[in-house]
């Protein structure tokens, strides 16, 4: 897969710029290759059948040969300690007196569900699946075993640090970081844009290390809801620690008993020590809680690639240039204990440096997330506040009750950070800096600067999706639907797939027919379909007599397939925790429908289904068997899919439609079981996933230009990574694949993601202006399952045209014409209004 290994970035820079390079032996980072993000990093994996792209909705397998080490024979029983859990953020929020202008809001924050309590899904029952150790064991050299134990994280944004050799970078926006054994690199990515890809160069602009080469080992030493802590140790008590959180303006390194050294792949042109700001006599020192001695010493460094950086330190370091590319302390005799920060000065250094100086010296030491209770009503609009809370080094004893609101003075102890476009759409405007920072972005688009240890944005909630469609069935439509239901019930319920993904799709297809039979009042057909559904699920979940049984992985903590655990190239990598929310979301949808209509038949299936839900969307952080919300990233507002596979481009997700389905199924399941608090939590997650899906995978062309830049101006993104965006899928670049994978499966929740205005623009009937439009894509798909998905979505614009064309298509293996007609009929009001 990674066939485009490029030369060392330092060598590339040297050749391009004609500058001498430092001795590679001085630091590990200079002797290692850092993979650049290229289109070649998204190629179809080996071993896919020749007819792969012709089979509708096939899932891509992750690369079987990418960064896969030989199995390690180690006993992992009781080897790990718990991952650092989430702070009880609600209490911290309510005690933050520094935010005078947000006091009422802060005091009103009540969590929808306490993640520190045992989940109502966890009945304390034995595991429903046989236990099996995983041949791919954790590399315990990479993390502190006193801080991590079963269940281990498998899909966190920073997971590159903990798998394989920990060599691939992580992406704490707007930076890229690589943690070697003896140092850390920090880079400011430059994005390259063409019609098919938005890629980043992932440079190692700076390497932060020890001049005496005393650091010899690095480990992940903690994690919380938002970030990760990495600690380097070595001889003579040397130690360096950094906590990486997305959106931080500064990258900070705490140091003990070290000789700090900064090395760049560029040439240093100028080093300027800045004069410390002096508070005026009119400013209230008691309010500021800070004087000149509190402020770090600041240095501006200009490099020959045209960039400028702010380097801060406390106690202050006077940096002296050595050679063309190294900075070392001039005023430190012996070892140093303190911190060093680096911040890129963006595209307007003169303005940005004034902003950054005010916030220098403050950095996060812990992070927490609260999903607040839903407010409002269906009639007036419902929403939930999503709150990020950071403890910082400048708060007394790292206690977040001491937060300072000093926006009127020249310096502040508040935290300076960035938010993503979907945060900025709904954030409290007082948090956004009026004189902000310019020139900072990530793969998701431009970043907006905010100030404060608490960041709260309002997540609007759409109309609650139910089991039934969003609109009523007209009598004439109901009659036609009943006739098609009888045909599909007789011909489309034979599910023969042996892997969990395609079997799950097939079971959910039958469950959709079962649900529709209930809606149209066909009791006889419903009863037959209910029995069929039980017969399908029982061998997988109760008897475990299917050919590829699910097992509990006692090494990492999760449910995987027997074939998947033995071979990472089988079952689409789900044995390495790839796509669990896609796979098991289908199982949970089937279980939710059965639980609603036939409690007795559902009863034997309840425990294994609940454990599958805990596997991919566990609402409890205290669960000893499954991690908290395995895939979901609260900062990005969506899930990551890649599991225990490492990529230089970071995490990725392809199918927003299947991610939506996963949390829709979780919501319905909790509703069917009467777990209202759990259902409310899942409703919030569902709306966050839908909102990020619309913002980043389903943009208008104007939004695409603003987020990604020209000429990457499409109405759909195929795969979104931590550091790049692709207008391709893992199984092909056809536009119908790119559109279709972002919509399937069609359920009553699909309207949360698929909007009429987006479909109208994406349809784009004029091939001369947008050859990648949905209409030409549907026409080129030759009436297959992909075309049917596109025509189904077009029903939001033109019902009659959609019906005629969709009915002429052969359904995908997880779909039926009954389901297609039901979706068109129950979403017709929008089409009628638009016409």
């Amino acid at each position: 897969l990674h066939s485009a290994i490029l030369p060392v970035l330092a060598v590339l820079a040297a050749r391009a710029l004609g500058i001498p390079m430092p001795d590679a032996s001085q630091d590990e980072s200079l002797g290692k290759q850092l993979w650049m993000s290229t289109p070649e990093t998204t190629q179809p994996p080996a071993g896919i059948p020749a007819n792969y792209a012709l089979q509708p909705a096939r899932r891509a397998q992750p690369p079987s040969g990418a960064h896969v080490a030989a199995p390690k024979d180690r006993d992992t029983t009781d080897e790990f300690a718990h991952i650092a859990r989430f702070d009880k953020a609600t209490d911290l929020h309510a005690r933050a007196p520094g935010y005078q202008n947000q006091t009422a809001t802060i005091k009103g924050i009540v969590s929808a569900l306490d993640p520190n309590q045992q989940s109502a899904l966890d009945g304390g029952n034995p595991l429903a699946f046989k236990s099996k150790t995983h041949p791919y064991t954790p590399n315990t050299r990479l993390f502190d075993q006193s801080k991590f134990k079963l269940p281990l994280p498998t899909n966190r944004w920073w997971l590159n640090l903990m798998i394989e050799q920990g060599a691939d970078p992580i992406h704490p926006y707007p930076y890229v970081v690589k943690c070697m054994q003896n140092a850390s690199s920090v880079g400011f990515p430059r994005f390259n844009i063409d019609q098919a890809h938005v890629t980043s160069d992932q440079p190692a602009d700076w390497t932060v290390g020890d001049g005496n080469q005393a650091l010899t080992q690095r480990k992940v030493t903690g994690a919380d809801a938002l970030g990760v802590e990495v600690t380097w140790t070595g001889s003579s008590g040397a130690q360096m620690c950094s906590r990486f959180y997305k959106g931080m303006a500064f990258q900070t390194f705490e140091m003990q008993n070290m000789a700090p050294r900064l090395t760049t792949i560029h040439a240093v042109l100028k080093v300027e020590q800045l004069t410390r700001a002096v508070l005026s006599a009119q400013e209230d020192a008691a309010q500021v809680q800070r004087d000149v001695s509190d402020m770090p010493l600041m240095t501006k460094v200009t490099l020959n690639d045209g960039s400028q950086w702010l380097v801060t330190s406390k106690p202050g370091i006077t940096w002296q240039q050595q050679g063309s590319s190294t900075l070392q302390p001039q005023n430190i005799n012996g070892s140093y204990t303190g911190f060093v920060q680096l911040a890129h000065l963006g595209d307007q250094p003169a303005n940005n440096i004034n902003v950054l100086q005010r916030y220098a010296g403050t950095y996060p030491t812990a992070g927490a997330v609260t999903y607040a209770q839903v407010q409002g009503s269906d009639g007036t609009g419902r929403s939930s506040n999503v709150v990020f809370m950071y403890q910082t080094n400048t708060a007394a004893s790292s206690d977040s009750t001491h937060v300072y609101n000093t926006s009127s003075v020249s310096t502040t102890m508040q935290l300076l950070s960035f938010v993503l476009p979907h945060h900025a759409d709904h954030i409290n405007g007082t948090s956004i800096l009026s004189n902000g920072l310019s020139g900072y972005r990530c793969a998701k688009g431009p970043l907006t600067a905010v100030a404060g240890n608490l960041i709260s944005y309002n997540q609007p909630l759409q109309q609650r999706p139910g089991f039934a469609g969003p609109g009523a069935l007209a009598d004439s439509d109901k009659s036609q639907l009943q006739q098609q239901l009888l045909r599909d019930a007789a011909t489309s319920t034979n599910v023969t797939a042996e892997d969990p993904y395609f079997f799950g799709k097939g079971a959910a297809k039958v469950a959709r027919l079962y649900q529709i039979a209930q809606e149209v009042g066909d009791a006889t057909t419903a009863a037959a379909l209910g029995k069929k559904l039980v017969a399908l699920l029982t061998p997988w979940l109760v008897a475990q007599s299917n050919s590829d049984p699910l097992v509990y992985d006692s090494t990492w903590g999760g449910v995987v397939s027997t074939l998947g655990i033995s071979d990472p190239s089988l079952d689409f990598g789900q044995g390495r925790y790839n796509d669990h929310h896609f796979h098991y979301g289908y199982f949970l949808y089937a279980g939710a429908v059965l639980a609603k209509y036939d409690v007795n038949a559902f009863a034997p299936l309840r425990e294994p289904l609940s454990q599958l839900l805990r596997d991919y969307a566990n609402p409890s952080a205290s669960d000893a068997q499954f991690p908290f919300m395995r895939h979901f990233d609260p900062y990005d507002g969506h899930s990551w899919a890649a599991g225990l596979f490492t990529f230089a481009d970071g995490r990725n997700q392809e199918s927003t439609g299947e991610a939506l389905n996963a949390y829709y199924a979780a919501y319905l399941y909790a509703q069917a079981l009467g777990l209202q608090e759990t259902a409310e939590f899942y409703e919030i997650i569902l709306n966050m996933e839908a909102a990020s899906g619309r913002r980043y995978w389903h943009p208008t062309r104007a939004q695409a230009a603003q987020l990604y830049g020209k000429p990457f101006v499409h109405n759909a993104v195929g795969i979104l990574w931590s550091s790049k965006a692709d207008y391709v899928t893992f199984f092909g670049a056809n536009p119908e694949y790119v559109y279709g994978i972002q919509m399937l499966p069609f359920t009553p929740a699909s309207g949360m993601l698929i909007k009429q205005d987006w479909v109208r623009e994406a349809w784009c009937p004029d091939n001369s202006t947008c050859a990648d439009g949905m209409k030409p894509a549907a026409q080129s798909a030759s009436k297959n399952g992909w075309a049917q998905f596109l025509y189904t979505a077009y029903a939001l614009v033109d019902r009659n045209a959609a019906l005629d064309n969709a009915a002429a298509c052969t359904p995908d293996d997880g779909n039926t014409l009954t389901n297609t007609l039901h979706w068109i009929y129950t979403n017709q009001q929008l089409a009628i209004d638009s016409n």
Side-chain angles (χ1 to χ4, degrees):
L1 180 72
H2 290 291
S3 60
I5 300 177
L6 301 179
V8 182
L9 290 177
V11 176
L12 284 174
R15 290 175 179 173
L17 300 171
I19 61 172
M21 290 300 298
D23 183 1
S25 65
Q26 292 179 353
D27 196 289
E28 178 182 338
S29 67
L30 300 176
K32 296 290 185 181
Q33 292 177 322
L34 181 60
W35 294 30
M36 292 181 70
S37 173
T38 66
E40 286 74 13
T41 61
T42 310
Q43 293 297 318
I48 293 180
N51 63 345
Y52 186 82
L54 302 179
Q55 300 182 38
R58 273 206 177 272
R59 295 292 313 140
Q61 299 185 45
S64 58
H67 302 288
V68 178
K72 306 174 182 65
D73 295 323
R74 286 202 301 270
D75 180 13
T76 58
T77 306
D78 295 327
E79 188 175 3
F80 313 107
H82 271 300
I83 185 171
R85 298 302 183 184
F86 310 118
D87 301 285
K88 293 187 177 180
T90 300
D91 291 339
L92 296 176
H93 300 156
R95 299 199 314 269
Y99 290 90
Q100 296 91 346
N101 62 335
Q102 298 183 38
T103 299
T105 303
I106 294 167
K107 288 184 177 180
I109 294 175
V110 179
S111 178
L113 188 71
D114 184 355
N116 298 291
Q117 294 182 351
Q118 180 176 328
S119 167
L121 297 168
D122 182 2
N125 298 312
L127 287 166
F129 306 96
K130 295 178 181 179
S131 291
K132 187 179 180 65
T133 57
H134 207 301
Y136 181 73
T137 57
N139 186 347
T140 55
R141 294 184 301 102
L142 297 177
F143 60 91
D144 184 344
Q145 296 175 60
S146 70
K147 300 290 179 65
F148 292 84
K149 77 171 185 180
L150 196 74
L152 292 169
T154 60
N155 290 72
R156 294 298 177 207
W157 67 266
W158 43 262
L159 199 69
N160 276 355
L161 296 171
M162 277 184 59
I163 53 178
E164 299 306 324
Q165 301 306 310
D168 275 334
I170 61 172
H171 302 86
Y173 318 138
Y175 300 101
V176 57
V177 169
K178 186 178 180 183
C179 297
M180 293 77 70
Q181 288 299 306
N182 64 344
S184 177
S185 68
V186 176
F188 190 75
R190 288 76 169 170
F191 287 85
N192 306 298
I193 306 166
D194 61 36
Q195 287 188 332
H197 309 278
V198 177
T199 61
S200 58
D201 58 1
Q202 308 209 49
D205 290 313
W206 289 101
T207 297
V208 182
D210 181 76
N212 295 328
Q213 299 185 5
L215 299 177
T216 57
Q217 185 180 49
R218 74 96 171 144
K219 289 187 175 184
V220 178
T221 51
D224 56 38
L226 292 169
V228 62
E229 178 185 85
V230 180
T231 302
W232 292 259
T233 56
S235 59
S236 303
Q239 180 174 299
M240 184 169 75
C241 177
S242 187
R243 300 170 188 91
F244 298 110
Y245 290 90
K246 292 179 183 176
M248 294 301 121
F250 293 90
Q251 291 299 304
T252 305
F253 298 88
E254 296 175 332
M255 301 177 176
Q256 293 182 27
N257 303 316
M258 280 179 54
R261 185 182 69 177
L262 306 179
T263 305
T264 176
I265 61 171
H266 311 290
V268 176
L269 298 183
K270 191 174 185 180
V271 180
E272 303 172 72
Q273 183 171 313
L274 304 181
T275 303
R276 296 187 179 199
V278 179
L279 301 180
S280 67
Q282 289 76 29
E283 292 170 341
D284 185 347
Q287 177 193 15
V288 174
Q289 298 289 328
R290 189 177 193 184
D291 57 23
V292 171
S293 64
D294 256 334
M295 297 171 60
L297 190 62
M298 304 182 204
T299 303
K300 183 173 72 171
V301 181
T302 303
L303 304 179
N304 73 335
D305 68 338
S307 67
Q308 294 184 333
W309 292 74
L310 180 64
V311 181
T312 82
S313 55
K314 184 180 177 183
I317 296 175
T318 301
W319 295 99
Q320 182 179 35
Q321 182 174 346
Q322 291 191 348
S324 64
S325 57
T326 300
L327 300 181
Q328 295 203 153
Q330 184 180 23
N331 60 330
I332 304 296
N333 294 319
S335 64
Y336 174 82
T337 296
F339 67 78
V340 173
Q341 295 181 301
L342 292 92
H344 193 278
L345 294 184
D347 62 1
Q348 295 184 19
N351 176 72
N352 290 342
I353 197 169
N354 291 330
V355 177
L356 288 162
Q357 285 185 84
R358 294 187 60 225
Y359 298 90
T362 299
Y363 55 89
T365 57
V369 180
T370 292
Y371 307 94
Q373 281 185 345
V374 173
Q375 304 293 319
S377 63
D378 289 329
T380 60
R382 301 164 62 250
S383 66
S384 170
N385 286 322
V386 180
V387 185
F388 306 145
M389 184 70 181
Y390 299 96
Q391 291 183 352
T392 68
N393 63 308
T394 56
S397 302
S398 292
D399 183 346
S400 288
T401 61
H402 295 78
V403 185
Y404 305 103
N405 183 3
T406 58
S407 58
S408 63
V409 299
S410 59
T411 64
T412 177
M413 299 179 79
Q414 287 181 299
L415 184 66
L416 178 64
S417 64
F418 296 100
V419 294
L420 292 169
H422 78 279
H423 301 140
D425 292 342
H426 300 287
I427 202 168
N428 182 338
T430 59
S431 300
I432 296 177
L433 295 182
S434 57
N435 182 20
L437 295 169
S438 173
Y440 299 84
R441 65 158 298 157
C442 67
K444 286 185 169 72
L447 301 170
T448 301
V450 297
N453 298 27
L454 180 150
I455 300 172
S456 177
Y457 77 95
N458 184 264
Q459 176 61 62
L461 303 185
Q462 300 185 59
Q463 180 181 346
R464 293 182 183 92
F467 286 87
L473 284 165
D475 289 342
S476 58
D477 294 339
K478 183 176 179 180
S479 176
Q480 294 182 33
L481 190 61
Q482 287 176 306
Q483 295 175 36
Q484 185 61 43
L485 173 65
L486 293 175
R487 288 190 286 268
D488 283 334
T491 61
S492 300
T493 60
N494 186 25
V495 180
T496 60
E498 298 180 350
D499 68 281
Y501 176 71
F502 283 108
F503 171 81
K505 286 184 68 176
K509 174 179 67 175
V510 175
R512 285 295 298 140
L513 295 175
Y514 182 33
Q515 167 63 36
I516 293 168
Q518 297 284 355
E519 285 184 57
V520 300
D522 188 340
T524 301
T525 303
L529 288 167
K531 290 179 180 179
K532 178 66 175 180
L533 191 57
V534 172
L536 287 171
L537 293 174
T538 298
W540 279 80
L541 301 177
V542 180
Q544 296 177 25
S545 58
N546 59 303
S547 62
D548 187 13
L550 299 176
V551 296
Y552 177 78
D553 165 21
S554 60
T555 303
W556 294 89
V559 178
V560 297
S561 68
T562 297
L563 291 178
I565 198 173
S566 63
D567 187 338
S569 69
L570 299 178
D571 291 351
F572 311 107
Q574 81 106 267
R576 296 278 183 92
Y577 295 94
N578 182 56
D579 292 359
H580 274 208
H581 55 326
F582 299 162
H583 295 199
Y584 297 151
Y586 287 114
F587 282 77
L588 263 295
Y589 177 78
V593 176
L594 193 61
K596 178 174 176 61
Y597 295 111
D598 193 338
V599 175
N600 292 331
F602 166 74
L605 300 166
R606 174 170 179 164
E607 188 59 34
L609 282 167
S610 293
Q611 290 181 22
L612 288 187
L613 179 51
R614 287 163 59 202
D615 175 273
Y616 79 82
N618 186 9
S620 173
S622 63
D623 196 318
Q625 295 167 323
F626 301 95
F628 180 78
M629 298 300 293
R630 185 184 300 279
H631 296 272
F632 192 73
D633 186 325
Y635 183 87
D636 286 81
H638 64 78
S639 300
W640 296 114
L644 300 174
F645 296 92
T646 179
F647 298 92
D649 296 311
R651 304 282 92 190
N652 71 73
Q653 178 160 271
E654 182 182 47
S655 177
T656 55
E658 288 176 314
L660 184 85
N661 182 65
Y663 300 114
Y664 170 56
Y667 169 72
L668 291 184
Y669 188 81
Q671 287 278 30
L673 270 57
L675 308 178
Q676 293 307 313
E677 286 188 354
T678 305
E680 182 173 307
F681 170 75
Y682 285 140
E683 184 187 6
I684 296 168
I685 301 297
L686 172 62
N687 276 272
M688 292 175 70
E689 189 82 39
S692 288
R694 294 192 308 273
R695 196 70 166 92
Y696 304 118
W697 280 265
H698 288 211
T700 65
R701 291 180 184 263
Q703 288 172 337
Q706 185 257 348
L707 292 176
Y708 303 115
K710 296 179 179 180
F712 192 87
V713 182
H714 306 285
N715 284 117
V717 172
I719 310 170
L720 190 58
W721 303 70
S722 302
S723 63
K724 76 167 182 171
D726 290 324
Y727 187 72
V728 297
T729 70
F730 281 117
F731 49 91
N734 293 12
E736 64 267 28
Y737 302 161
V738 176
Y739 283 112
I741 202 65
Q742 304 312 334
M743 296 189 285
L744 66 88
F746 277 79
T747 71
S750 297
M752 301 177 70
L753 188 63
I754 305 168
K755 297 299 183 182
Q756 183 190 50
D757 289 346
W758 175 75
V759 175
R760 181 182 289 112
E761 180 181 291
W763 196 253
C764 196
D766 185 355
N767 289 13
S768 64
T769 59
C770 48
D772 61 343
M774 200 181 290
K775 181 179 180 179
Q779 292 171 335
S780 69
S782 301
K783 300 187 183 304
N784 63 14
W786 294 107
Q788 189 174 66
F789 290 138
L790 274 56
Y791 286 124
T792 303
Y794 188 57
L796 297 180
V797 177
D798 188 333
R799 166 190 153 119
N800 292 335
L803 276 172
D804 292 343
N805 286 285
C809 296
T810 301
D812 165 63
D813 52 6
N815 195 25
T816 62
L817 183 55
T818 298
N819 185 55
T820 297
L821 296 176
H822 177 271
W823 200 89
I824 294 173
Y825 292 157
T826 58
N827 285 272
Q828 66 176 323
Q829 191 60 46
L830 281 174
I832 292 172
D833 291 345
S834 70
N835 291 329

